[in-house]
Each structure stands twice: as structure tokens, then as C-alpha cells.
């Protein structure tokens, strides 16, 4: 079930990125209504990803890197870059949507390309994280965040 939930989360993120890409294409061709629908769908899927990811972290657990020890530090650095990009994209996404809903289109147009770019790179790096955790290398141990909070422990490698 753990792998299936993580696959579901990855599909949410990639589908969200697909809608954002389609929305960006639509606005480049001045199809404002289609742009709005694609972007709001992409943002909704991105929010669903976040909620599902947090739920999975607390209920099923986070998976530790199961690859070679020599790759553990590069993996952690890559993971942190991904997390920073995803966080920045989420914050920028909230601003971008807010500007659009308030018809502050001058601000929206300045922030939106950065937002979409950050989300697309975050989706791509998220795919690499998923592949490294569940496809390329054997899955490492998992533990729930709730378990960590209660017992102040983590799985041994």
C-alpha cells in the first residue's frame, strides 16, 4: 500500500504539472478562459498532492533512501533542493492565484512565469526522488512522522 500511495502522489504531482504546462500554453495563445481552467485544475491537483503527501507521511510514513551509502549524501542534497523548490512554488502559487483572483494582472504576469517554472522543476525533481526511492534502488525503511514524534526515533539503516 505504501508504494501505491506514493505512486498516487507522484501521479497527482505530474498531472498537476501537465495542467500547468497546458495552462501556460493557453495564455501564450491568449486563450484566457482555458488558461484559467487549466491553471486552477493544476493548482487544485497540486493542493491535493500536498494534502495526500502529508497524510501519507503521518499515516504510512516517510521512506528512507535505500540505495548505496555513497549516494546517501548526494541524494539528501538533491531531496532538500526539491523540497525548497516545491515550497517556493507553493508560496508563489498562492500569490499568483491571489493576484489573478483580485484582477491584479500586472503583478500576476510578473510572478506567474516564476511560479510555473518552479512548479515544473519541482515536479521533475519529485519524479527523480520517487524513482530513486522506489524504482532505481531497493526501498529503504519507512517510519511514520507520528511514530517519530511519539518515540523520538527513526529506523536503523
Amino acid at each position: 500500500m505504501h508504494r501505491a500511495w506514493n505512486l498516487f502522489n507522484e501521479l497527482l504531482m505530474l498531472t498537476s504539472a501537465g495542467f500547468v504546462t497546458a495552462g501556460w500554453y493557453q495564455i501564450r495563445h491568449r486563450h484566457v478562459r482555458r488558461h484559467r481552467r487549466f491553471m486552477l485544475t493544476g493548482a487544485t491537483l497540486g493542493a491535493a498532492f500536498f494534502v495526500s503527501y502529508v497524510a501519507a507521511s503521518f499515516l504510512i510514513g516517510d521512506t528512507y533512501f535505500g540505495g548505496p551509502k555513497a549516494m546517501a549524501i548526494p541524494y539528501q542534497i538533491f531531496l532538500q533542493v526539491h523540497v525548497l523548490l516545491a515550497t517556493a512554488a507553493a508560496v508563489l502559487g498562492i500569490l499568483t492565484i491571489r493576484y489573478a483572483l483580485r484582477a491584479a494582472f500586472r503583478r500576476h504576469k510578473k510572478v506567474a512565469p516564476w511560479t510555473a517554472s518552479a512548479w515544473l522543476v519541482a515536479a521533475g525533481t519529485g519524479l527523480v526522488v520517487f524513482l530513486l526511492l522506489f524504482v532505481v534502488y531497493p526501498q529503504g525503511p519507512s517510519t511514520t512522522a507520528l511514530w517519530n514524534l511519539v518515540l523520538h526515533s527513526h529506523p536503523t539503516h
Side-chain angles (χ1 to χ4, degrees):
M1 180 159 125
H2 186 250
R3 187 180 295 230
W5 197 334
N6 283 290
L7 177 60
F8 173 73
N9 285 341
E10 189 58 34
L11 291 173
L12 279 175
M13 181 186 284
L14 292 175
T15 305
S16 170
F19 274 94
V20 168
T21 301
W24 201 346
Y25 175 85
Q26 294 301 322
I27 202 61
R28 289 283 172 214
H29 290 85
R30 304 199 187 280
H31 300 285
V32 176
R33 285 191 178 130
R34 285 188 223 159
H35 164 75
R36 178 181 287 172
R37 282 193 300 258
F38 277 114
M39 290 304 198
L40 288 175
T41 301
T44 300
L45 290 169
F49 159 78
F50 178 74
V51 169
S52 181
Y53 176 81
V54 169
S57 292
F58 274 92
L59 299 174
I60 293 177
D62 290 319
T63 301
Y64 288 77
F65 181 67
K69 295 242 185 233
M71 291 294 297
I73 291 175
Y75 167 79
Q76 285 300 320
I77 292 169
F78 186 83
L79 177 63
Q80 294 309 313
V81 169
H82 164 70
V83 168
L84 289 172
L85 278 168
T87 303
V91 171
L92 287 171
I94 292 166
L95 285 173
T96 303
I97 292 168
R98 185 175 175 185
Y99 290 150
L101 294 176
R102 291 184 172 195
F105 295 117
R106 181 173 284 156
R107 287 182 176 174
H108 176 80
K109 286 179 183 181
K110 287 182 181 179
V111 175
W114 292 99
T115 304
S117 297
W119 185 244
L120 295 176
V121 173
T125 57
L127 176 60
V128 171
V129 168
F130 174 81
L131 292 172
L132 291 173
L133 286 178
F134 299 105
V135 178
V136 175
Y137 297 113
Q139 184 175 330
S142 297
T143 187
T144 65
L146 185 58
W147 190 253
N148 284 339
L149 288 171
V150 172
L151 297 179
H152 303 290
S153 66
H154 56 83
T156 58
H157 293 270

